Every structure is written in structure tokens, then in C-alpha cells.
Amino acid sequence: MTASCRAEPDAPSDDVFASSRSAMVAHQIAARGVRDPAVLDAMRAVPRHRLVPENVRAFAYEDTPLPIGWGQTISQPYIVALMTELAQVKPGHRVLEVGTGSGYQAAVLAQMGAQVWTIEIVEPLAERARVDLLAIGYTNIHVRAGDGYLGWPEAAPFDSVLVTAGATHVPQPLVDQLKPGGRMVIPVGSTLQNQSLRLLVKLEDGTIEERDVLPVRFVPLTGEHAERGGPKTPE
Ligand code: SAM
């Protein structure tokens, strides 16, 4: 790990955000049971306010998702922390994220020392995240504009895969791109109202163990996923 893979310290004018961030970690994340010290440290370090649009910057450390444009959202901080903890990310891990959005989840993973590949279907969001993440100092994040349904085969296999948009089914290409021992965290549900955050673990023999962790509500996974999982036209 080199320092260039981490967020540069806040400028003095951003000190106000450092204390908001500490409060966010204490009251929204640790208080709800996220315990991994590396996750808590990363959440204390990543300047979330630099990854949201100017008009919502004042709310960057609130306990809520926020609009980031193009009808999309940055997830609630607690959900980001929980997904990261479930993925058991370690320095040097190769991690795939589907749904870059603002780039915040990718930044948390990179802050923990992972190499991150992240795919965003809305091209202007991918472009903005690429610029913002580099400006903060993350050089260990690869951003691609495109459909994440098929994953990133050239960079596979991954130690973990995080899908940050709601799926009706688990995309098989993403399962295939997990290493033995790898973990996937993905919101799954037949409708937006009944999603659960699901943890899948690929065992050494390739079999999958899975469990639903808690109810969530994410914006939908679109693209190829919607085509394959959408309602079938009667014959
Ligand atoms: N992880 C993001 C962050 O930290 O800001 C939040 C993700 S937002 C809840 C979900 C994102 O998934 C949206 O930006 C949306 O455009 C994107 N998305 C939806 N379907 C996708 C697909 N098939 N491939 C890649 N990205 C997709």
C-alpha cells in the first residue's frame, strides 16, 4: 500500500466534515453493530462530501441516501459499511463493484487497501466518479462505463463482488468471477419493495452458501439484467 492509494488529509476548510464523519461512524455505523476496525477507519477517512453534488454536500454525513443525478443515489453510510464488512475486504484483495454511482463505495474499498474494479451503466456518472476519485488521491480504482451484468472478466477472479443496485436474481457471470472462498454481497428481490441484502460465499469446492442479512431498498439493476429478469412475454 502506498499513500497515493488513500485519501489525502482534509484541507483545514474541510475540518467541519471530519468531525461530522466521526459522528457518522459512531452514531450511525458502530452503534448499529458494524465492528470491523478497518471498515470503521475507512469510513472515518473517506471524504464523502467530495463525492456528492454541491447542492447536497451539507447532508453528506446524514443517515440517508442522497440524490447524485440521473435518477440515482449514493447509498446510506450504514449500508455501505455493512456491505463492506460482509465482504471481509483485506489489503491487496481484488474487488469488483457493480454500480459505481458517486464512487463512494469504491473509495471505501480502496481506502482499505483493495484493488477495485467498478462498473457504472450511466456514462456521465462513471466519468464524474473517475475524475472525483482521482482528485481525492485514489489510484487503485479502475472505473468502466458499461453494463456490470457480465462483470469484468479480464480482471477476474475477484475476492469479493459488491452489487449496489437491486437485482431480481444473482447474475451467474458474477458468481463465476468469484474466487473459491470469495464473497458476494447483493440486494435481491422480485420487486423493489421486497429486496434483501444477500451474502453469498463460494466454498473451495465451488458450491455456494447464501443467507439474507436484512431488508433493503436499492435502485434497480438495469441493462442486461432487466432484460433477463423482466416479465416474460406470453408465447
Ligand atoms: N455504489 C454507489 C455509491 O457509492 O455511490 C451507489 C450506487 S446506486 C445505489 C446504484 C448504481 O447502479 C446507479 O448509479 C446505477 O446507474 C447503477 N447501475 C444500475 N444498473 C447497472 C448495471 N447493469 N451495470 C452497472 N451499473 C448499474
Side-chain angles (χ1 to χ4, degrees):
M1 262 307 294
T2 61
S4 64
C5 294
R6 299 259 165 107
E8 302 294 338
D10 277 351
S13 59
D14 281 347
D15 275 351
V16 54
F17 290 115
S19 60
S20 308
R21 218 159 37 238
S22 289
M24 170 191 84
V25 172
H27 304 308
Q28 301 172 32
I29 298 173
R32 288 190 178 120
V34 174
R35 291 277 172 268
D36 182 341
V39 175
L40 300 177
D41 283 349
M43 299 292 295
R44 265 185 222 104
V46 176
R48 186 173 158 96
H49 61 281
R50 292 179 62 180
L51 293 164
V52 298
E54 186 77 47
N55 64 323
V56 294
R57 193 152 289 169
F59 310 106
Y61 298 100
E62 301 284 312
D63 189 15
T64 179
L66 292 170
I68 56 171
W70 291 274
Q72 304 304 326
T73 53
I74 178 174
S75 307
Q76 180 191 15
Y78 166 63
I79 295 295
V80 174
L82 178 65
M83 291 181 74
T84 310
E85 184 173 66
L86 289 168
Q88 295 189 355
V89 176
K90 301 283 180 293
H93 272 190
R94 299 170 72 85
V95 182
L96 174 69
E97 182 197 19
V98 175
T100 314
S102 65
Y104 179 66
Q105 173 73 77
V108 171
L109 297 165
Q111 185 71 31
M112 294 177 72
Q115 283 288 329
V116 183
W117 286 261
T118 180
I119 310 174
E120 170 55 53
I121 205 163
V122 178
E123 197 163 347
L125 281 177
E127 198 42 47
R128 188 174 67 193
R130 182 183 290 119
V131 169
D132 288 349
L133 290 166
L134 266 181
I136 294 170
Y138 294 109
T139 55
N140 49 342
I141 302 176
H142 314 267
V143 183
R144 171 186 278 180
D147 187 345
Y149 188 87
L150 297 174
W152 198 316
E154 316 87 276
F158 298 102
D159 296 282
S160 51
V161 174
L162 282 77
V163 180
T164 63
T168 56
H169 61 279
V170 178
Q172 188 58 39
L174 302 184
V175 176
D176 295 342
Q177 288 173 33
L178 267 185
K179 285 184 188 174
R183 300 164 78 85
M184 187 189 310
V185 187
I186 176 170
V188 185
S190 55
T191 67
L192 288 183
Q193 287 72 37
N194 75 351
Q195 293 172 3
S196 291
L197 192 61
R198 186 168 299 170
L199 170 66
L200 292 87
V201 181
K202 188 185 250 187
L203 305 182
E204 294 298 325
D205 67 1
T207 56
I208 301 292
E209 272 184 354
E210 56 182 54
R211 70 179 166 94
D212 285 349
V213 178
L214 90 167
V216 285
R217 184 176 296 207
F218 277 78
V219 295
L221 194 65
T222 58
E224 176 114 15
H225 175 82
E227 318 245 318
R228 294 193 189 201
K232 303 271 178 294
T233 316
E235 301 283 316

